Amino acid sequence: MKHETFPAVTVAANELRGALAFMRQVVERRNTIPILGAIRITGAGDSMTVTGADLDIECSVTLPAEAAAPVSFCINPMILTRLLSGETGRVSISVAGGIITVQAGILTARINDLYPAIDFPPFNFSPSDTADVPEQALVRALRVCLPRISLEETRYYLNGVYLHPVGDTLCAVATDGHQLGRYQTDAPWPLPAMIVPRKTALILRNRIMDRPDSAIRCAADTTASVPRIEFAADNWVIRSKVIDGTFPNYTLVIPAPADDIDVLISVETLRRLAVGMSDMPRAVQIDGDGGMMTAAARSFSATICAPVTGKGPAIGFKHKYLMAMANLGPAFRIQGKGPNDPARLITDDPAATIVLMPMRF
């Protein structure tokens, strides 16, 4: 194998450490293809780009750096992360004679160059449609949808977030058959309907922040055999294949508004119900007329009760589904027609629609 030589590229340790944390979300630690366990670093002039990929997703981030000449090499991100632990200054990386030399403060590491950069898999992307979505709207949509993505591989088309236009604006939906989350934004969405895989959605959620004055550039590539989607900001890009399937007509399971059952639930009370048991409660019975919420342990050897405010007959739900509301606010309302009918979970955000199927207590 012919080894290339590259002069040193220098970058702030904290900047590179943040980039590596980003890459570790996409790079799998165990791979049958060795190059997929590495990241690619390219640089020239006053910047460098760090890229990580699996066979379906590619993430990259561009950092301010100094490179005397163009560089391109691959390295194991876990090794580099350990070398940067605790370092606050600048890091210098060079390649010569099949050895990658990393100078991080008082440490000098020499690592075998095992991954030729030419082997790094390309992720071709030719955007056909683009849209700018407010970052705040995208964050809130993912908060609603991520806990409700199905993990069952048999229904693969439910293993992601369904981004699609309703009218001309973006709507995000996820369901696992027991619960459904829908978030209707005001952002224009000229892109086609696409199912974004759960891993991609998680990486995106970890990258973006709830900023009202920022937007995320979204693009679609429908020219490939499997369509692809891109999310990008000023210095980072996430590209991903989408799930090639048909999302079901979810509108059929959204019940009409009803308030025969109307109970106010505190997230802190739900959390205390779990803390008071030796194992996580499986089910929670909510009795609006009786003013009581009761949780049973998985072994059914103990129950714990707490007061609630509302009206309606007793209805039961899985505790973990109710706790998924924790990231949407300190409290929410459960409204529905009857104990055997799907219920709506109402938050302070009118753009969010959350539906939960009841269970026997």
Side-chain angles (χ1 to χ4, degrees):
M1 180 174 63
K2 182 179 178 181
H3 296 287
E4 296 188 73
T5 299
F6 296 105
V9 57
T10 305
V11 62
N14 63 326
E15 295 270 3
L16 183 54
R17 196 158 40 236
L20 292 172
F22 184 21
M23 296 304 110
R24 289 199 303 273
Q25 297 178 77
V26 64
V27 175
E28 301 289 348
R29 297 187 67 175
R30 295 183 179 180
N31 281 289
T32 56
I33 305 174
I35 191 65
L36 294 179
I39 58 170
R40 183 181 64 194
I41 294 178
T42 58
D46 59 359
S47 68
M48 65 179 282
T49 299
V50 183
T51 304
D54 59 20
L55 292 177
D56 299 317
I57 309 170
E58 180 186 86
C59 299
S60 64
V61 60
T62 301
L63 310 173
E66 296 93 41
V71 300
S72 179
F73 60 92
C74 294
I75 188 172
N76 186 301
M78 297 305 298
I79 294 175
L80 196 52
T81 298
R82 295 189 188 101
L83 290 172
L84 296 181
S85 178
E87 179 57 44
T88 58
R90 298 187 69 77
V91 178
S92 176
I93 308 174
S94 60
V95 183
I99 299 295
I100 300 173
T101 301
V102 180
Q103 182 71 50
I106 61 174
L107 299 180
T108 300
R110 294 177 176 84
I111 306 163
N112 290 330
D113 185 5
L114 302 176
Y115 310 100
I118 195 172
D119 291 345
F120 198 83
F123 196 97
N124 300 319
F125 190 87
S126 301
S128 52
D129 302 286
T130 60
D132 287 338
V133 178
E135 189 173 23
Q136 191 174 66
L138 202 53
V139 165
R140 294 178 179 180
L142 292 174
R143 282 178 184 166
V144 169
C145 293
L146 275 171
R148 293 159 186 94
I149 295 175
S150 175
L151 301 179
E152 296 180 15
E153 295 183 359
T154 53
R155 295 191 291 176
Y156 65 92
Y157 47 85
L158 299 182
N159 296 159
V161 179
Y162 182 47
L163 302 182
H164 64 294
V166 172
D168 296 325
T169 56
L170 170 63
C171 182
V173 180
T175 181
D176 61 7
H178 302 283
Q179 54 178 344
L180 178 145
R182 179 181 187 267
Y183 196 87
Q184 178 63 59
T185 75
D186 295 328
W189 188 256
L191 281 64
M194 292 182 163
I195 307 173
V196 179
R198 180 175 181 270
K199 180 178 178 179
T200 307
L202 284 169
I203 294 172
L204 177 63
R205 172 63 192 94
N206 291 336
R207 192 65 189 175
I208 59 180
M209 293 177 285
D210 196 354
R211 297 179 296 187
D213 56 350
S214 180
I216 302 300
R217 299 189 302 274
C218 305
D221 178 3
T222 57
T223 61
S225 56
V226 177
R228 305 178 177 203
I229 194 166
E230 176 185 272
F231 304 95
D234 292 337
N235 69 330
W236 58 265
V237 177
I238 300 171
R239 292 173 174 168
S240 172
K241 295 179 181 177
V242 300
I243 296 175
D244 189 13
T246 302
F247 203 82
N249 185 0
Y250 64 88
T251 60
L252 298 176
V253 301
I254 298 179
D259 62 355
D260 299 82
I261 296 175
D262 188 356
V263 184
L264 180 64
I265 301 295
S266 164
V267 171
E268 180 58 29
T269 301
L270 284 171
R271 188 175 287 114
R272 290 196 63 188
L273 285 177
V275 170
M277 294 188 172
S278 59
D279 54 359
M280 290 295 291
R282 176 175 178 269
V284 176
Q285 185 186 59
I286 299 165
D287 186 352
D289 289 338
M292 195 65 64
M293 178 166 59
T294 305
R298 292 182 185 274
S299 61
F300 293 97
S301 61
T303 59
I304 296 181
C305 301
V308 293
T309 303
K311 65 176 183 177
I315 187 171
F317 299 102
K318 282 191 175 183
H319 180 267
K320 68 176 183 178
Y321 292 160
L322 295 175
M323 281 303 301
M325 299 293 292
N327 65 344
L328 300 179
F332 59 93
R333 305 192 74 87
I334 296 178
Q335 294 184 342
K337 187 173 180 59
N340 299 316
D341 300 304
R344 285 174 174 257
L345 277 56
I346 310 300
T347 69
D348 292 335
D349 191 343
T353 301
I354 299 170
V355 178
L356 193 55
M357 296 299 295
M359 66 174 295
R360 292 182 181 273
F361 188 74

